Structures are given as C-alpha cells and as structure tokens.
C-alpha cells in the first residue's frame, strides 16, 4: 500500500481559521503593486482581431435599412455581424433563473430603443480599420418619439418602448404590473395620525465608471471550444448566457476571469462576451471587444434612476403609524436587473422600522434610456436615501431629535415586520447608539438604555387587519413572448405596427435541465 | 500602411519597434513591447491609469504619440522593482492596503515615484496634488496617500 507522505506538507496548513481582528494581506496584492495581475486585456494573442460596434445615435428609431456593402469592402475588415447572425438574438439576463421574458437583442434588428444600442458589429485587423469601416455603414433611421420619464411612460396612450412589455412595465408572475406590499390599513392610519407628510424623491442614474472598461477576448481553443478572457463579475452567469445566445452547449466555453478592474455591479450584464465569441466563431481568429470610455458611459448600464413618493402618518409622541410608498424604477429600454431590484426594494419596505400600517407599490418601468443594472445595494440604496430623508423630516415635524426618533421607531426582536415575518437579531437601536456616541451626538439616558432585545413583540407583533383588494386580471396575450427580432424589416413610411400576434409558447430549452428559481422559490421544468 | 522605426530605452533596456502613424505610446508599450503594466482606462487623458515616466517626467502614455519618445527613456511600473526586490513604494502600497482592484495602481505608483524623485519629503497636500490626475474608483485614496507618505518616510529612514 502506497501512502502520500503527508508529514512533508504537515506545516503548510494549520487549520486555524481565527482571523477576526488580524490584518490579513490580500492574496492579489503583490500582483497589483508589480503590475503582474492579469486583467482580460493583458492577453496578447497571435492574429487577434478587433471588434467594434455601431451604435444608435437615436433614443428611439425604426431601422428602415442597414447597408453594410461598402463597409464589407473596407480594408482590414474580416467580418460584419448583424442581428440575423446571432443564433438567439433576443435574451434577458435573468431568463437563466426563469425570471422575465427575452426582450433585448444582442444586435438591433427592426428598432433601436435607446441611444447607444448596438446595431452592427465589425471585426477587423485593427481597431482603426474597424472604425473606418463603421463610418461606411449606412443606416436609414426613422426617428420615433421617445419617452424618458417613468410616470410619462405609464400614462394612457404612452408610446410603447419595448414590445415584449406593451404596458411599459415589467410583468411579475405573468399577471402583476408591479410589486405590492400590504400590511394593515394605511388610510385608517392616516386618519388617526396627528401629522401626515408626503414627499417626492428622485435619484438620477449613476454610472459605475470602473477604471477598466467592460471587455472580453474570445479565441478558438482546441477541440472546437473557445477560451474567453473577460472582465465579467459573474463568470459562470456570463458563460451560461453566452451558451444560450449562441445556442451551443455551455461546455463549449472556457471562461477565464477573476481579476476585474473595478465592477461595482456594472460588469454582470454580459455586454461583450457574446459578440466577441461570435466574432471568433465566424472568423476562426481571436477577437477582442473592449468598450471605449464613451461607450462605457453611454451603453454600459448604470444604476437605474428611481422616483419615490412617501406618505407617512406620525403621532405627536413620535410613533409612525402609517407609511405609504409608491416608487418607479427606471429600467431603461430593456430588462436587465431592475425587475429584480424592485423585488428587493419591496422586501425592504418600510425600512428597519416597526410601523403597523404599510402600503407599497413599486413599478419596474421601461423608458428610452440606457438599460439599468446592478450597483451596490441596488433596489435598496435609493429607497433608503428617501426613507432616511423622510425620517429626518418627520423628526423635525414632531420636534424630536432625529437619532431618538429612529431609535423610537426601530424594529425590535419579536416585532412583526410588514412581510409577516417576525423580526429577529435586530440591531438598529444599538447601531444608532454607537453611531451617536462616535459622533458625540447627545442622547438622553433613557434612550441610551433602550435595546433591540427589550420591549419588542406583544402588541408590536400583531398583524393589523388588512383590506383585501381585487386581484388583477390575467395578462393579455399580447404580453407573451414575441419573436419580433426574426420578423422581416418593417415597411417604409408606415405607422408602427400593433403588437405582433402571440407566437406559440417558447420551446423548453434544448438542454432540458431543471431550473431553480430563487425569485419564485420554486423548482420548475 | 507605412510604419515608422522607433527606438527608445524601456526600463533601462534598448528597444526598437515599427509603429503605424498615429499610434500612441500606450499601444506601443502594450502591443509591441509587451509591457502590460500601463493600463487603458479612458484613452483621453482623464484617468491616469496609463501614466509612465518619460525622461523622468510623468506623462500620460495614451496622449503621447509613440514616435515622440524616439531616443528617450521610458519608465513603467514593470521597471520599478530592483530585480526581485520591491521598491519602497510597492512595499508601502502592500502594507497600507493601497490597492483594491489594482487597475489604477500602476499609474498611481508612477505618479508617486515621479513625486518622490523630485521631492523625497512631501507633505500630505503635495501627495494629494501629485496623484490628482489618477482616478481610483474603488475610492481608496486615503490608503494610497498614506502609502506614499509611508514610503517617503521609509526612504528618509534609510538615507
């Protein structure tokens, strides 16, 4: 019997995992300070081609004609890629968890719906030759009116941004045009309140602006596979998304990532890999597709804008008795992750406070703006900004110190949250007390003695009677998945066609894998 | 396309390449010399990730025509170490946690080296001024400033 001489390696790992309180060096720090950390663009491959994308200068336009004849003859051009070359041009990121309908093309076919939307990809020997060919692509645009405001987009008769969602809202569970939270009766709460304060909050989109722009290099590997160096923050998510869009088994790809030059949520959208790989498939050569800074700003998704209305009822003694919230998340022209952000947001309402009557309506709205995505706490960050501004205003209104006002309303262990879950392991009171101490903010002795572990539960654990609202009707058939990207180009000078008739239900994925949805919490085929 | 011959010193070593007209120094270093330490961040002089020293002076390689360094000396992060030994700035960046994603680090280090070469005992304000053209989006400016100051004082301790 041969045995490994474990004693040789005995001192390599002591299994002591007590790391808290000790400074620990990053494992990648030496690479960073010597410049040897390998980012996607640090791979130099023999015969590498460069991919550049022609983007829409319009926020909303019909594409009457795309003429690439002259561009194809331009020096150094190896391949021009159009929407019809993409095996499954329509995709939505979270389709991998069975959430949402495929609504975004890799390359626009009949329409563009935001400024910066990709239309044609050019693969050439050098970036310069790709740009020169791009200038020779002729696109005949028919500019269309655009909508940039979330509430305008929801008005009756508003133009349709994204035909997959003709009401300009993401549709949840095939039925609901928004996410709801109902707990108790806010109207009764307002009637009983000493003061009612209603405010409007607006947050702009925020660009992640990573120092390294989004990009990837795809190269033919042995055995018909492709190796992909990428800046992605979501390696296997991107790999699976590419397998879906390019309609090949996922083991076709070997994705290499890990060293990302700043992400913050802006590198989860699989923006570059599908076209880089397709370029490599069509040319048989390594293809590099890196966004320029302007593209990163215009086309790279930002944190989405949010408009938030908060109406609170508060008693003279400082108790908030009702909180009603209506919010609109600007998803831009397509669904990337804003649909999920809305779910997170509603799960966060009404903030970390115990309020007996809570009413929330949050919409994921389509506009002709750059599609929005993840960014550090998205779905919660802007809502918290609004809620905490509101808390300061309420404290001022009732004449209570803002720190004490928060501690007074903070949830405590045993309280009932608006989601009908008992609050456990709460610590807002202690956080506020420590923050006050660090900031030398005076708190009364009585408030300093308050605790998340005391005085919770009891009447605070009650679920207030909640009026039942009529359920919405099931979605019209026009909201089912469309295949408009495969349709022939629209005829010239005709008004926009009505939403296309419903195609047959999409076929189940060819790989037949069981999908688990963390959003629905169900397992489905 | 006509190519222009170009010779310069790269981290103390003579190199010779042929460049296309209009090619910037960043592309020449990365794609022709194979020095991947200067990074592309914006290509328009806004971020400092491509910072290098030309004859000891701090420059943005993305805004420098490659042909302009003919006969001159270019230093990049790749030449900062002395053999296997880290430069005091590199050691200080490691010790002070002055890098997160690491993408701005090559430019930061070259900007810091440029400062310490001119001014071995900078004030905090002078350090801030020296790295003001370098963007760190992980917003680790404080540790970076502390690292440059620590490297300066360690240099004084040795001197």
């Amino acid at each position: 019997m041969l045995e490994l001489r474990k004693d040789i390696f005995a001192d390599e790992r002591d299994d002591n995992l007590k790391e808290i309180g000790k400074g620990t060096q990053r494992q990648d720090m030496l690479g960073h300070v010597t410049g040897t950390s390998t980012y996607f663009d640090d791979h130099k491959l023999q015969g590498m081609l460069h991919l550049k994308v022609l983007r829409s200068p319009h926020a909303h336009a019909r594409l009457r004609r795309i003429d690439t004849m002259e561009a194809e003859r331009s020096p150094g051009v190896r391949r021009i890629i159009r929407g019809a070359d993409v095996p499954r041009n329509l995709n939505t990121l979270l389709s991998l968890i069975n959430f949402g309908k495929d609504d975004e093309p890799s390359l626009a076919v009949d329409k563009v719906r935001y400024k910066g939307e990709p239309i044609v990809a050019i693969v050439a020997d050098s970036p310069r030759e790709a740009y020169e060919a791009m200038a020779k692509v002729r696109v005949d645009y028919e500019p269309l009116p655009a909508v940039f405001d979330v509430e305008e987009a929801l008005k009756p008769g508003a133009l349709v941004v994204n035909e997959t969602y003709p009401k300009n809202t993401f549709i949840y569970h095939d039925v609901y045009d928004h996410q709801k939270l109902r707990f108790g009766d806010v109207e009764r709460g307002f009637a009983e309140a000493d003061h009612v304060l209603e405010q409007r909050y607006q947050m702009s989109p925020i660009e992640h602006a990573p120092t390294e722009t989004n990009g990837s290099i795809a190269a033919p590997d042995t055995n018909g596979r492709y190796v992909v160096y990428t800046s992605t923050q979501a390696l296997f998510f991107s790999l699976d998304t590419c397998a879906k869009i390019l309609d090949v088994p996922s083991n076709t790809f070997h994705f290499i990532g890990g060293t990302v030059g700043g992400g913050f949520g802006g590198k989860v959208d699989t923006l570059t890999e599908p076209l880089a790989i397709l370029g490599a498939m069509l040319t048989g050569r390594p293809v590099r597709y890196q966004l320029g800074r302007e593209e990163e700003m215009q086309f790279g998704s930002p944190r989405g804008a949010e408009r938030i209305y908060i109406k609170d009822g508060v008693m003279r003694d400082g108790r908030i008795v009702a909180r009603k919230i209506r919010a609109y998340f600007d998803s831009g022209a397509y669904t990337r992750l804003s649909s999920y952000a809305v779910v997170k947001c509603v799960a966060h309402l009404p903030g970390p406070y115990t309020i007996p009557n809570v009413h929330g309506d949050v919409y994921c709205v389509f506009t002709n703006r750059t599609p929005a995505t993840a960014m550090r706490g998205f779905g919660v960050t802007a809502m918290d900004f609004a809620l905490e501004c509101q808390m300061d205003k309420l404290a001022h209104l009732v004449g209570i110190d803002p720190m004490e006002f928060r501690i007074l309303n903070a949830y405590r262990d045993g309280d009932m949250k608006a989601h009908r879950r008992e609050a456990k392991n709460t610590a807002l009171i202690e956080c506020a007390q420590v923050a006050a101490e660090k900031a030398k903010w005076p708190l009364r002795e009585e408030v300093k003695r308050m605790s998340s572990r005391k005085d919770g539960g009891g009447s605070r654990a009650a679920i207030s009677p909640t009026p039942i609202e009529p359920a919405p009707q099931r979605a019209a058939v026009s909201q089912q998945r469309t295949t408009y990207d495969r349709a022939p180009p629209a005829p010239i000078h005709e008004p926009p066609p009505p939403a296309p008739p419903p195609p047959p239900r999409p076929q189940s994925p060819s790989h037949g894998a069981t999908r688990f949805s963390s959003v629905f919490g169900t397992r489905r085929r | 396309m006509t190519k222009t011959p170009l010779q310069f010193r790269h981290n103390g070593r003579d190199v010779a390449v042929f460049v296309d007209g209009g090619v910037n120094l960043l592309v020449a270093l990365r794609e022709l010399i194979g020095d991947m330490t200067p990074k592309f961040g914006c290509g328009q002089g806004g971020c400092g990730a491509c910072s290098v020293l030309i004859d000891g002076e701090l420059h943005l390689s993305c805004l420098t025509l490659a042909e302009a360094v003919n006969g001159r000396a270019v230093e990049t992060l790749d030449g900062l170490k002395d053999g296997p030994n880290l430069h005091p700035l590199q050691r200080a960046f490691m010790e002070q946690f002055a890098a997160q994603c690491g993408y701005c680090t090559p430019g930061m280090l070259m900007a810091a080296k440029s400062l310490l070469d001119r001014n071995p005992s900078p004030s905090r304000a002078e350090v801030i001024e020296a790295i003001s053209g370098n963007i760190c989006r992980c917003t680790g400016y404080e540790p970076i400033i502390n690292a440059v100051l620590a490297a300066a004082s360690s240099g004084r301790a040795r001197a």
Side-chain angles (χ1 to χ4, degrees):
Chain A
M1 186 71 175
L2 293 173
E3 276 191 36
L4 183 69
R5 281 277 307 280
K6 286 185 184 169
D7 59 300
I8 296 174
F9 312 103
D11 59 350
E12 287 190 9
R13 210 182 91 172
D14 61 6
D15 286 331
N16 175 10
L17 301 179
K18 288 179 182 162
E19 293 291 329
I20 294 173
K22 284 193 259 177
T24 300
Q25 186 56 268
R26 296 176 62 105
Q27 51 86 18
D28 54 4
M29 190 59 103
L30 183 62
H32 287 354
V33 302
T34 53
T36 52
S37 295
T38 311
Y39 301 86
F40 91 90
D41 195 37
D42 295 339
H43 296 275
K44 201 171 61 161
L45 304 177
Q46 179 61 35
M48 187 162 72
L49 305 177
H50 301 265
L51 186 148
K52 296 289 171 191
V53 168
L54 176 72
R55 301 179 180 283
S56 169
H58 299 286
H60 196 195
R62 188 165 303 284
L63 300 175
R64 287 173 179 151
R65 210 168 78 90
I66 302 168
D67 179 0
T68 56
M69 289 270 286
E70 196 189 341
E72 273 161 38
R73 290 194 302 266
S74 188
V77 169
R78 299 290 178 134
R79 176 77 197 208
I80 302 235
I81 305 173
R82 298 177 54 159
D85 298 317
V86 185
R88 292 185 65 170
N89 198 23
L90 274 194
N91 180 49
T92 192
L93 290 170
L94 293 180
S95 63
L96 293 179
I97 56 167
N98 216 3
F99 186 54
K101 300 167 189 163
D102 290 337
D103 67 341
E104 181 170 7
S106 286
L107 292 169
V109 174
D110 57 345
K111 268 172 82 176
V112 283
R113 297 173 180 82
Y114 69 97
K115 188 178 169 186
E117 181 161 355
I119 302 171
V120 168
I122 296 167
V123 184
D125 289 341
S126 67
R128 180 175 171 165
E129 285 163 315
Y131 284 126
E132 282 172 0
M134 194 191 296
K136 295 172 186 165
V137 176
R138 301 277 170 259
V139 181
D140 187 5
Y141 298 98
E142 178 189 329
L144 299 170
V147 60
F148 299 110
D149 183 275
V150 282
E151 288 181 272
E152 291 294 324
L154 295 186
K155 285 184 178 164
L159 64 92
V160 175
V161 172
N162 174 341
E163 287 76 1
T164 308
Y165 295 103
K167 290 164 77 179
N168 288 344
T169 61
F170 184 81
I171 302 294
Y172 291 90
H173 309 287
D174 294 327
V175 182
Y176 305 101
D177 64 359
H178 66 288
Q179 288 273 314
K180 266 185 211 297
L181 175 66
R182 297 291 185 268
F183 181 71
D185 184 345
V186 279
E187 297 309 328
R188 211 186 61 211
F190 291 138
E192 291 168 0
D194 292 324
H195 302 278
V196 172
L197 179 71
E198 183 167 15
Q199 298 281 297
R200 174 187 187 271
Y201 299 92
Q202 172 74 46
M203 194 208 63
S204 296
I206 299 174
E207 165 58 36
H208 313 78
T211 321
E212 173 205 50
T213 56
N214 269 275
S216 53
I217 295 171
D221 202 356
T222 53
N223 296 337
R225 297 176 82 216
Y226 294 85
V227 61
V228 182
Y229 302 99
T230 162
S231 69
T232 185
Q233 286 179 262
L235 198 79
F236 290 94
F237 184 79
S238 287
L239 187 154
D240 290 344
T241 296
C242 289
K244 182 188 165 195
I245 291 174
L246 300 170
D247 207 11
V248 293
S250 55
N251 67 5
T252 309
F253 304 132
H254 176 194
F255 270 48
I256 298 172
T259 306
V260 178
F264 324 116
K267 286 178 178 165
V268 298
D269 282 3
T270 321
L271 292 177
T272 60
E273 296 91 336
L275 288 179
I277 298 168
L278 185 58
M281 287 175 163
L282 295 173
T283 62
R285 301 273 294 270
V287 170
R288 169 176 172 264
Y289 173 18
Q290 181 180 30
L291 300 187
R293 180 54 59 186
E294 190 181 343
E295 285 179 298
E296 183 73 39
M297 302 296 276
Q298 181 68 58
F299 164 67
S301 2
R303 180 198 289 281
E306 294 176 26
R307 181 167 305 153
I308 297 166
Y309 294 92
I310 306 179
K311 184 178 177 183
D312 284 337
V314 62
M315 307 305 287
R316 266 186 286 273
D317 62 11
R319 283 175 298 128
I320 304 171
V321 292
R323 171 162 284 174
K324 184 174 185 178
I325 290 173
R326 190 160 44 96
Y328 305 95
F329 281 34
D330 191 341
S331 181
Y334 299 105
T335 318
R336 286 187 191 161
L337 299 177
S338 297
S339 52
Y340 167 61
V342 165
V343 176
K344 274 174 76 183
C345 176
V346 175
H348 181 65
L349 298 181
Y353 304 105
T354 295
I355 300 175
N357 302 291
V358 181
H359 180 115
D361 287 319
V362 184
Y363 296 78
C364 173
V365 185
F366 297 102
T367 66
N368 292 107
R369 298 172 74 163
T370 303
T373 190
M375 185 176 188
R376 294 190 161 184
F378 70 127
V380 170
T381 321
M383 181 56 78
D384 265 341
F385 158 75
L387 288 174
E388 296 308 321
C389 289
Q390 185 82 357
M391 292 301 282
D392 282 344
K393 290 175 183 176
L394 291 171
H396 183 75
L397 188 67
V398 294
I400 296 179
D401 174 272
M403 280 290 211
E404 292 191 9
F405 182 72
R406 286 174 171 82
I407 290 174
L408 181 68
N409 284 288
Y411 59 2
R412 299 169 186 221
D413 285 359
D415 287 2
M416 181 55 63
K417 295 195 284 186
H419 306 90
R420 297 167 173 77
R421 294 275 195 282
E422 187 189 327
K424 292 174 183 166
N425 301 317
T426 56
L428 176 61
I429 292 175
E430 288 71 18
C431 278
Q433 287 163 338
V434 171
E437 192 188 332
K438 300 251 183 215
K440 299 189 170 52
W441 186 281
L443 291 180
R444 288 183 295 127
E445 277 308 312
E446 181 194 344
V447 176
K448 282 186 192 166
R449 282 195 301 273
M450 288 183 177
S451 161
S452 293
R453 294 192 175 77
K454 284 192 304 197
D455 305 321
S459 64
R460 296 164 66 104
I463 299 177
S464 324
T466 305
I468 303 294
E469 295 172 23
Q473 295 191 326
R474 290 210 72 85
V477 283
S478 62
Q479 290 169 1
Q480 300 299 323
R481 199 184 296 240
T482 67
T483 54
Y484 64 92
D485 67 320
R486 304 287 190 182
I492 296 169
H493 291 313
E494 279 196 15
R505 291 291 297 174
Q507 292 176 337
S508 52
S510 50
H511 46 76
T514 301
R515 290 178 165 182
F516 179 75
S517 165
S518 62
V519 179
F520 301 128
T522 53
R523 195 176 278 277
R524 43 177 78 189
R525 296 292 295 183
Chain B
M1 202 181 295
T2 319
K3 292 186 188 281
T4 308
L6 170 64
Q7 290 190 45
F8 59 98
R9 277 185 88 73
H10 172 248
N11 295 328
R13 198 169 60 94
D14 285 324
V15 291
V17 290
F18 288 90
V19 295
D20 291 327
V23 162
N24 65 38
L25 179 60
L26 176 64
V27 170
L29 286 169
R30 290 179 59 85
E31 294 177 15
L32 302 177
I33 308 288
D35 178 355
M36 296 297 181
T37 59
K39 301 296 179 195
F40 169 87
C42 66
Q44 48 195 241
C47 74
C50 67
S51 299
V52 299
L53 304 186
I54 301 173
D55 290 342
E57 217 176 77
L58 190 66
H59 283 270
L60 296 165
S61 61
C62 77
L63 293 188
T64 305
L65 271 178
E67 293 168 46
V69 301
N70 199 30
R72 302 172 73 182
V74 177
E75 287 171 71
T76 71
L77 174 57
D78 195 37
L80 194 59
K81 279 190 305 163
D82 178 13
N85 303 317
L86 295 181
H87 186 276
L89 273 167
Q90 291 172 310
R91 278 204 304 276
F93 267 57
M94 286 190 76
E95 284 158 13
Q96 303 285 330
F97 202 86
Q100 287 185 44
C101 84
Y103 203 78
C104 73
T105 309
M108 285 285 182
L109 282 166
M110 296 320 284
K113 177 172 193 294
S114 163
L115 170 70
L116 297 191
D117 286 351
R118 283 180 279 123
N119 177 359
S121 306
S123 67
R124 194 172 187 86
E126 285 167 333
V127 173
I128 292 169
E129 172 65 24
I131 63 165
S132 62
N134 295 69
I135 289 176
C136 163
R137 272 296 280 175
C138 305
T139 55
Y141 291 114
E142 284 299 311
I144 293 168
I145 295 161
N146 293 339
V148 178
L149 289 169
S153 53
S154 77
R156 280 197 303 278
R158 273 203 325 273

